[in-house]
Amino acid sequence: MTSLTATVCLALALVCIHSAGLASAAKPAKPAPIPPPTYLYVWAGATDPSKAKDSLFVVKVADGTIVNTVETSFNGLEPHHCRVSVDKRWLGCGGLLAVLSGLPSVHFFSLADPALPVYVPDVPQPQHGAIADEFLTTPEGGFATTMMGSETGGSPGRVVLYDKDLKLVGEYPEDVSGDKATGLNPHGIAIDWKRDTAVTVDYMEPASTLVGNTLAVRTTVRLWDTRTWTIKETVDVGKTGGAGILDVQQVGSTPGYFFTTHTGQMYYLDSRGPAPHVPVLVYNITEPGTSPLSEQIHSFRNGKRLFLGNYLESKVLLFDTSTPLRPRLLDTLQLAKGSGAHMVMLAPDGRTGVVATYFLDEGAAGQIHLAGDSTVHVFKIDGGAKRFLTKNRGAYTLDFKTLFPAKGAFRPHGVAFL
């Protein structure tokens, strides 16, 4: 080989190496997998006030060990939903029936030490709303919370905002005169912070569930402008059978939302464009021989999958929602018959899920008696999010009726991963 030929070959080799390097640099790096959660927080009510208080339990996710129990000073809160703030400083939790006992509805725990949450006293309470239900996080580290009822458990309810330091920012809508908030009893909420839009769904008037009253079940969905926290449109799905609307979830980062009803329907709502917005019925679980109730849902972050809890059938359904108008059932997690299936969530790792079976039991004062079997099930799904892994090493059940013999049974409702 002549020196000229060798020089040319060397130059070509360097060009190839450089080009390969540029191609490699242009290719986006694959994001590192999110590790499994360390802790599961379970917010539960004590059934025997003489033995225990309403409490927060810290569960080691890996093996189900209870590593800490944080007792409040209260009984009768009816612990409900909870959520970890986006900056992981706080855990927000609701007391659904606290107003009946003159107790605070909204509760927070400091997560400075995630293994040992500390109850935060003297949090400012809403003045115009009660029956705390859903907690969502704000981008700044605060919370948006639905108050399903008025300060007396009637109507209208409110959406309440807390900032990153747990200061009460406001209760919305501020103007409830005339018919602006008629039948406003928000249960679920989903917020699109980039598009300044929120959707709340009305379930029922809380006070109507007490003995002697006629249940006032709602059929309305509200679209909000979050710049002013005003309701810009009310959508009624009663004509298509939707009643008692429990939950709503944004589909990934799109302008679309799923919402589900007490009566078994799942709807898709595109929030774009001017009113009127017309929801589309995309799935109905009231197949012959089945019963719905308590359709709490959890949409995966990518918007391509969704969990749905069917309380009466004691099932968690896994849907492919890649095509939102045509959800496809992929798999079913069947719990023991009669156990219930209510609050269901997926951890950020995309593999670890949880379902709590207790819904609500109002006792002698109320008409709702849906205690399930008071268990919490941690489960796994496969890497492609196509099926449940029921025999996986990380799957187990915690029975809150028998976990603490000295304290009696607990009713676990709120769950959150960290």
Side-chain angles (χ1 to χ4, degrees):
M1 180 183 295
T2 65
S3 60
L4 178 59
T5 303
T7 301
V8 171
C9 289
L10 178 60
L12 288 172
L14 290 173
V15 168
C16 290
I17 292 171
H18 180 66
S19 299
L22 287 176
S24 176
K27 186 177 181 180
K30 187 176 181 180
I34 298 174
T38 302
Y39 298 113
L40 170 67
Y41 300 112
V42 180
W43 178 225
T47 60
D48 188 342
S50 69
K51 293 182 177 179
K53 302 290 187 180
D54 297 339
S55 300
L56 179 71
F57 298 92
V58 184
V59 182
K60 185 179 178 183
V61 173
D63 59 12
T65 303
I66 306 293
V67 298
N68 243 309
T69 300
V70 184
E71 278 199 342
T72 70
S73 59
F74 308 113
N75 284 110
L77 294 174
E78 187 59 42
H80 211 54
H81 298 183
C82 53
R83 186 85 60 164
V84 175
S85 64
V86 69
D87 56 10
K88 301 179 181 179
R89 292 177 63 203
W90 312 112
L91 177 71
C93 299
L96 187 74
L97 302 182
V99 66
L100 297 179
S101 305
L103 301 175
S105 294
V106 179
H107 304 265
F108 295 105
F109 296 84
S110 168
L111 300 179
D113 181 349
L116 186 58
V118 175
Y119 184 78
V120 180
D122 303 323
V123 169
Q125 295 294 310
Q127 298 302 302
H128 305 294
I131 320 296
D133 193 85
E134 186 62 278
F135 281 72
L136 283 192
T137 60
T138 68
E140 298 78 24
F143 294 88
T145 302
T146 57
M147 311 301 288
M148 197 162 61
S150 66
E151 66 272 24
T152 59
S155 299
R158 300 292 198 281
V159 173
V160 176
L161 295 184
Y162 285 89
D163 71 11
K164 63 182 179 62
D165 298 313
L166 308 184
K167 294 178 181 177
L168 182 61
V169 176
E171 303 178 53
Y172 308 101
E174 293 178 328
D175 183 3
V176 296
S177 61
D179 62 355
K180 293 184 177 67
T182 299
L184 178 63
N185 297 116
H187 189 276
I189 180 172
I191 305 173
D192 187 338
W193 297 105
K194 292 182 179 179
R195 298 179 180 87
D196 302 313
T197 300
V199 177
T200 61
V201 293
D202 298 317
Y203 183 29
M204 63 175 65
E205 183 173 89
S208 76
T209 68
L210 299 178
V211 169
N213 297 330
T214 300
L215 289 178
V217 179
R218 305 305 188 196
T219 61
T220 43
V221 176
R222 320 279 178 156
L223 275 74
W224 298 66
D225 182 340
T226 59
R227 291 168 297 187
T228 57
W229 278 102
T230 55
I231 298 170
K232 59 183 182 181
E233 185 182 357
T234 297
V235 179
D236 195 332
V237 295
K239 292 181 180 179
T240 56
I245 309 175
L246 276 134
D247 203 7
V248 59
Q249 296 275 322
Q250 186 178 9
V251 184
S253 59
T254 74
Y257 297 84
F258 287 115
F259 63 88
T260 53
T261 70
H262 189 104
T263 44
Q265 295 86 7
M266 181 161 69
Y267 291 84
Y268 175 76
L269 175 66
D270 189 333
S271 65
R272 290 175 294 189
H277 292 88
V278 181
V280 179
L281 177 61
V282 294
Y283 203 87
N284 193 333
I285 69 169
T286 51
E287 302 289 341
T290 67
S291 301
L293 185 63
S294 184
E295 276 61 60
Q296 289 294 135
I297 55 177
H298 179 92
S299 183
F300 291 23
R301 290 191 303 168
N302 63 10
K304 296 181 179 180
R305 297 288 189 273
L306 177 137
F307 286 144
L308 184 151
N310 181 339
Y311 181 86
L312 291 184
E313 292 291 314
S314 303
K315 294 177 179 178
V316 179
L317 309 180
L318 172 61
F319 286 94
D320 180 340
T321 53
S322 301
T323 305
L325 290 173
R326 292 192 299 276
R328 184 166 59 93
L329 181 62
L330 295 177
D331 200 9
T332 300
L333 176 64
Q334 179 67 66
L335 306 180
K337 293 292 185 180
S339 62
H342 183 63
M343 182 58 63
V344 58
M345 284 189 174
L346 182 72
D349 70 340
R351 301 290 301 276
T352 309
V354 63
V355 55
T357 65
Y358 175 77
F359 184 1
L360 173 63
D361 189 343
E362 293 182 310
Q367 304 178 63
I368 308 299
H369 306 288
L370 299 167
D373 68 356
S374 295
T375 54
V376 171
H377 304 263
V378 174
F379 58 85
K380 295 285 186 175
I381 60 174
D382 71 302
K386 295 180 179 179
R387 61 191 180 93
F388 293 100
L389 303 177
T390 56
K391 296 182 180 180
N392 188 279
R393 185 177 60 182
Y396 52 84
T397 297
L398 299 173
D399 189 343
F400 278 80
K401 298 186 300 297
T402 59
L403 270 179
F404 312 96
K407 294 184 177 183
F410 284 84
R411 294 168 167 174
H413 192 119
V415 288
F417 285 113
L418 180 60

